[in-house]
Amino acid sequence: MFSAISLHNLRKLYGAKAAVDGLDLEVPRGSFFGFLGPNGAGKTTTIRMLMGLAPPTSGTIELLNLPMPERALEVKGKIGLVPDESLLFDHLTGLEFTEFVGRMYGLARPKARERSKELLALFELDGDPRKLIGDYSKGMRKRVAMAAALIHRPELFLLDEPFEGVDAVGARLMKEILLEQVRHGATVFLTSHVLEVVERLCDRVAIIHEGKLVLTGTMAELRTGSETLEDVFVRVVGADRPAESLDWL
Amino acid sequence: MWNQARAIVWAQWKTVRNHIPRSNKAALIFSGVLLAVWYAGFGFLALLAGFFLAKPDEVEFVHRVLPTVLLICLLYWQVIPILMASTGSALDIKKLLVYPIPHRELFTLEVLLRVSTGVEMLLLLAGAGVGLLLNPRVPFWAPWTLAFFVAFNLLCSAGIRDLLARLLARKRVREITTLLFVLAAALPQLMLLGGFQKQLRRVFSSEASPLWLWTAAARLAQGEFSWSNAAVVLAWTAAAYFFGRWQFERGLAFDFAEAAAKSAPRGRTASRLDWFYRLPNAVLPDPLAALIEKELRFLSRAPRFRLVFLMGFSFGILIWFPMAFGGQGRTAHSLVGDNYLTFVSVYALLLLSDSLFWNVFGFDRSAAQVYFLVPVKISTVLVGKNLTAAIFVLLDISAVALVCILLRLPITGLRVLEALAVTLVITTFLVAIGNISSLYNPRGVNPVKSFRTAAGARMQAMLMLLFPVSLAPVALAYLARYAFESEWAFFGVLLFGAALAGVAYWFSMESAVKAAERRKEQIIQALSQGDGLIQS
């Protein structure tokens, strides 16, 4: 099987605590892969390691059959990112930001500008061309990040909560674009807390809990009977905690 | 090739251009005028240097002073940013690391950004270079060799910055690093005290070893070519390149989150300090007590604040010590010696000013909007922040006094009282000015970054203008003591200064409260904005 992402015994320690603890994961090429887990499970740390922002303590990472960090430059050129918001530039307009990202991926300036205009029109961000990203709403920030992720037609998308704060129309558009990219052979690796969205979009899912992989497989393999993905998730991460009532509330 | 580097520069230019129309015009003009005055001063010095070096009959003089001038340039470029806890502009590597940019392009940009910590020296060197070019007794090629000296400084500064950034990311290592830098910065002063005047004077003179960069570079710049001089300059520049590149690569691979997690406080330490955080509750009612407690907890945990607080008494004591007591014993009388505690305390204020006075909402960043949402008056919030500032200033002065007592320096109770009174009067003026500047020119500050990224010159220029204003009443008090030779005159005038400071504080509070209401939206927006590609 040709893997888009291949992780072997990946570990990341923060002090004595393991944020990611011996993660083995194969994401097949051309799949729409959902990476799930409760808060603090290690999803963002994993994505940060895939992006090259945090070096793993041990273990190996291969993206598109290229080892990281040895072939980092080559790998990064083939990846589209929707990172957390801190990686956006608040003082640039949407057009300037997407053009900048295009040029970072090696597009010539006129080409980057042309594609930026088209993408912003597609994501309905071309209304006020002088508006700075710092003045965007949360949903608009996610949309501009998605536009920037598409500009160089990547083979692999790493998306951290891409639909967070996006309105229904924008989310529908983003989903359609991503599904179209997968149909054309791209791979999507996304984290999300909206399990209904993951259930509808993803063909494969992995659930991580306390840094360890607790479940992985196709959607059909995971669900038994009439179980929803939410039922599976709650069952696997053991969320049936004692409900302590607060007298004053 | 270099497309991405050009794109980064283009995006940064756009960032600056987009920011200007939205920023506070008055603050922008004020800061522009300050910078213009500051650089005009160095421009004048550069002109003087050029004028002297262009004279054919001053060759002997130039031969004597040029190595010393180059050594001072080197020290200014490398040491002043550390003393001011400000590292100048730098690439926001975290935002750029996700893109396929070759490291050599990032490194080149990072090195060029080091110009921001030595613009003054570049002006001086440019003036010197032009002067030497115009000098008919200096060969045409010679002044151009100063470019190697500049390259050495840029590369060395880049390496030191990356090294510091990593060392200061770890809590316990940070304190040791600070202490080591204190010792390194104070080394010339300690050498003077330790009877090494002769050796030190030799390093600063034209007789210094030809193996030193500044000596070899000065000789080459005057046209005294020799293979050994050329080899020395090239070797130092190459060493700086390898040091800079090595540190840069290590910085790229460094995980700041991991380092922070490794040095997170343990339970015991946290509970030991808890009594200190809760002290305001014993004497003040809520919400003021809660606000001060929050500030105490927050600032004590902010690496940036911890560093300047530590530097306040450690750097201050070492730097002023030789000037106060150098070579004459601890009982000798001198202006600095007689007022040692006051000098050190005012220096500590200077370092703390950026965190405690000028930009009091900076560390809160977007969370500052909470102050506008909760049912608490903004004046109460400001008073809370100002009282916290006073508590930390008192702690710093107490630490200075304690160290002085431990070192058995001639510090009397009256001197401690004097330092305390002087510092509190200046602090009141500073918080009065700071409350206004915090609301008219707020900017988000990352508390995790130990060193300021703001260009050192802007900070130095700010201090040059605002500190003298705050110091004026205190200076009058010292003048009264000198004129009337009376402690009563001193404390009398100081009391008058304190009253003036109180009035200034009252007026500034009125104005700040009105500004907070009027500029609420701009303040929240300004504090919420992130950095560009280059943090400046």
Side-chain angles (χ1 to χ4, degrees):
Chain A
M1 185 170 60
F2 182 58
S3 295
I5 300 174
S6 179
L7 311 177
H8 294 292
N9 201 19
L10 194 67
R11 258 169 86 83
K12 180 69 183 177
L13 295 177
Y14 286 120
K17 189 184 182 312
V20 175
D21 194 2
L23 185 64
D24 286 299
L25 190 67
E26 296 289 335
V27 177
R29 189 164 190 149
S31 63
F32 207 128
F33 198 96
F35 192 53
L36 312 176
N39 295 330
K43 300 186 299 293
T44 302
T45 305
T46 306
I47 286 234
R48 278 171 56 81
M49 286 193 281
L50 296 183
M51 289 176 182
L53 283 175
T57 308
S58 62
T60 60
I61 301 173
E62 273 188 25
L63 299 180
L64 302 166
N65 274 13
L66 298 168
M68 284 279 274
E70 293 83 356
R71 305 277 292 274
L73 218 55
E74 214 174 319
V75 171
K76 284 176 186 175
K78 295 176 180 178
I79 293 178
L81 304 167
V82 174
D84 68 61
E85 288 186 21
S86 64
L87 296 185
L88 296 174
F89 300 115
D90 285 348
H91 293 295
L92 293 183
T93 64
L95 183 68
E96 287 163 353
F97 176 68
T98 44
E99 183 185 330
F100 166 74
V101 173
R103 291 173 72 187
M104 286 295 103
Y105 285 111
L107 297 180
R109 192 175 169 182
K111 185 83 153 178
R113 194 164 183 82
E114 186 193 327
R115 285 191 185 179
S116 296
K117 281 181 181 167
E118 289 169 358
L119 282 166
L120 290 187
L122 181 67
F123 283 97
E124 295 177 350
L125 289 167
D126 55 345
D128 182 358
R130 294 180 63 187
K131 191 167 183 167
L132 301 183
I133 291 176
D135 298 332
Y136 278 12
S137 66
K138 193 168 186 142
M140 289 169 83
R141 289 168 77 89
K142 284 288 179 190
R143 269 150 55 189
V144 81
M146 177 62 95
L150 287 162
I151 198 162
H152 59 300
R153 296 209 58 206
E155 293 174 38
L156 170 63
F157 289 87
L158 300 177
L159 315 176
D160 196 4
E161 296 284 354
F163 308 114
E164 197 181 26
V166 182
D167 61 44
V169 177
R172 165 78 65 92
L173 177 69
M174 283 164 73
K175 288 173 205 166
E176 280 172 4
I177 290 170
L178 288 173
L179 284 169
E180 187 64 21
Q181 294 298 307
V182 171
R183 272 195 288 276
H184 282 98
T187 310
V188 174
F189 181 85
L190 76 89
T191 70
S192 178
H193 287 294
V194 189
L195 298 183
E196 290 82 4
V197 172
V198 175
E199 197 162 15
R200 231 174 303 136
L201 287 177
C202 298
D203 44 47
R204 300 181 79 88
V205 167
I207 300 176
I208 183 176
H209 184 42
E210 292 176 350
K212 290 190 170 79
L213 188 71
V214 288
L215 197 70
T216 184
T218 62
M219 206 55 88
E221 285 167 355
L222 297 186
R223 287 182 298 204
T224 54
S226 59
E227 260 192 333
T228 61
L229 184 60
E230 186 179 300
D231 296 331
V232 175
F233 183 86
V234 171
R235 175 164 51 83
V236 170
V237 302
D240 47 317
R241 299 178 186 110
E244 290 174 1
S245 58
L246 301 170
D247 305 342
W248 55 268
L249 193 63
Chain B
M1 203 181 163
W2 300 108
N3 270 345
Q4 290 152 316
R6 276 204 299 272
I8 292 170
V9 174
W10 169 82
Q12 183 60 25
W13 158 243
K14 288 280 179 184
T15 299
V16 174
R17 211 191 61 180
N18 290 337
H19 178 65
I20 287 173
R22 289 155 187 258
S23 58
N24 186 332
K25 297 277 191 308
L28 210 67
I29 293 167
F30 176 69
S31 150
V33 169
L34 279 183
L35 281 181
V37 171
W38 178 255
Y39 288 124
F42 279 93
F44 179 69
L45 284 178
L47 269 177
L48 275 183
F51 178 73
F52 259 105
L53 294 174
K55 286 184 173 178
D57 46 348
E58 295 287 355
V59 167
E60 280 311 308
F61 175 72
V62 171
H63 180 83
R64 267 205 327 274
V65 299
L66 198 56
T68 314
V69 171
L70 291 189
L71 175 56
I72 290 169
C73 282
L74 189 147
L75 289 175
Y76 184 96
W77 212 322
Q78 308 303 330
V79 177
I80 291 290
I82 297 169
L83 288 180
M84 300 300 290
S86 170
T87 53
S89 304
L91 285 175
D92 193 342
I93 292 293
K94 189 187 138 213
K95 287 182 177 175
L96 294 168
L97 211 54
V98 294
Y99 302 115
I101 313 170
H103 289 186
R104 67 173 183 282
E105 288 189 28
L106 288 177
F107 178 65
T108 307
L109 283 174
E110 187 73 355
V111 169
L112 290 176
L113 285 170
R114 298 293 85 214
V115 167
S116 63
T117 56
V119 179
E120 301 87 343
M121 294 306 102
L122 271 180
L123 278 172
L124 272 182
L125 289 171
V130 170
L132 288 169
L133 274 174
L134 295 174
N135 192 324
R137 288 178 65 185
V138 174
F140 181 75
W141 58 266
W144 298 102
T145 57
L146 283 175
F148 286 98
F149 182 75
V150 172
F152 168 87
N153 277 293
L154 291 174
L155 291 160
C156 190
S157 170
I160 290 175
R161 186 200 167 275
D162 286 326
L163 177 66
L164 269 176
R166 280 203 326 281
L167 289 174
L168 296 176
R170 292 204 169 96
K171 204 171 132 195
R172 283 164 198 88
V173 181
R174 180 165 50 226
E175 275 79 43
I176 297 167
T177 306
T178 310
L179 195 67
L180 287 176
F181 272 100
V182 167
L183 291 173
L187 195 62
Q189 321 246 37
L190 295 175
M191 281 177 76
L192 277 176
L193 277 179
F196 294 98
Q197 292 98 325
K198 205 174 155 193
Q199 289 87 333
L200 196 65
R201 216 165 279 141
R202 198 175 147 79
V203 170
F204 273 88
S205 75
S206 58
E207 303 305 313
S209 163
L211 293 177
W212 290 120
L213 169 71
W214 51 91
T215 317
R219 288 180 184 174
L220 278 182
Q222 292 166 87
E224 294 171 29
F225 182 81
S226 74
W227 288 110
S228 63
N229 282 342
V232 166
V233 170
L234 284 174
W236 277 102
T237 313
Y241 171 79
F242 288 116
F243 170 65
R245 188 69 201 254
W246 174 48
Q247 291 304 321
F248 183 74
E249 290 295 336
R250 291 197 66 187
L252 287 181
F254 189 74
D255 190 343
F256 285 87
E258 191 183 336
K262 276 181 181 165
S263 56
R266 307 229 155 83
R268 209 169 129 256
T269 317
S271 62
R272 209 162 45 207
L273 279 175
D274 221 46
W275 67 268
F276 167 67
Y277 301 137
R278 292 195 177 280
L279 268 182
N281 295 286
V283 283
L284 293 167
D286 274 343
L288 191 58
L291 280 165
I292 298 174
E293 186 183 329
K294 173 252 163 198
E295 290 294 319
L296 291 177
R297 284 182 190 277
F298 191 90
L299 289 171
S300 306
R301 290 167 189 164
R304 188 149 169 163
F305 179 76
R306 290 164 65 103
L307 179 77
V308 285
F309 185 78
L310 186 69
M311 281 172 72
F313 57 88
S314 54
F315 259 51
I317 286 172
L318 274 172
I319 282 166
W320 293 106
F321 190 84
M323 271 180 260
F325 309 106
Q328 302 158 50
R330 290 172 189 179
T331 50
H333 287 280
S334 68
L335 176 70
V336 184
D338 291 344
N339 304 288
Y340 180 63
L341 195 57
T342 312
F343 268 91
V344 178
S345 303
V346 172
Y347 174 77
L349 271 188
L350 189 142
L351 281 177
L352 290 169
S353 57
D354 200 38
S355 303
L356 293 181
F357 310 129
W358 307 142
N359 185 31
V360 292
F361 295 105
F363 283 156
D364 291 323
R365 296 193 281 181
S366 56
Q369 57 194 300
V370 168
Y371 301 130
F372 296 102
L373 296 173
V374 293
V376 175
K377 287 180 189 168
I378 197 73
S379 56
T380 311
V381 174
L382 285 171
V383 169
K385 285 184 177 283
N386 298 159
L387 284 175
T388 310
I391 291 171
F392 278 113
V393 167
L394 281 175
L395 277 177
D396 229 7
I397 298 169
S398 308
V400 171
L402 191 70
V403 175
C404 289
I405 291 165
L406 287 175
L407 291 175
R408 300 183 175 206
L409 297 177
I411 305 293
T412 61
L414 190 66
R415 289 294 178 224
V416 176
L417 184 70
E418 177 186 324
L420 208 63
V422 165
T423 317
L424 284 180
V425 170
I426 299 171
T427 301
T428 314
F429 275 113
L430 291 176
V431 292
I433 301 168
N435 285 346
I436 306 259
S437 79
S438 300
L439 289 162
Y440 278 96
N441 192 23
R443 59 189 193 285
V445 176
N446 187 349
V448 177
K449 286 182 182 157
S450 295
F451 270 47
R452 279 190 297 268
T453 46
R458 194 170 63 200
M459 179 69 189
Q460 285 153 21
M462 276 273 284
L463 294 175
M464 262 183 63
L465 196 90
L466 295 178
F467 248 70
V469 173
S470 311
L471 290 175
V474 172
L476 278 177
Y478 279 102
L479 201 65
R481 174 192 273 170
Y482 173 75
F484 299 105
E485 293 182 352
S486 155
E487 291 297 326
W488 287 106
F490 172 77
F491 281 105
V493 176
L494 200 62
L495 197 65
F496 177 69
L500 264 183
V503 173
Y505 183 76
W506 188 79
F507 274 113
S508 89
M509 185 60 86
E510 291 270 298
S511 168
V513 168
K514 283 180 193 154
E517 193 48 49
R518 205 174 54 246
R519 306 191 71 250
K520 193 187 299 180
E521 207 177 337
Q522 292 102 303
I523 292 165
I524 293 169
Q525 197 186 13
L527 290 167
S528 306
Q529 301 265 312
D531 288 316
L533 293 80
I534 293 169
Q535 308 160 336
S536 57

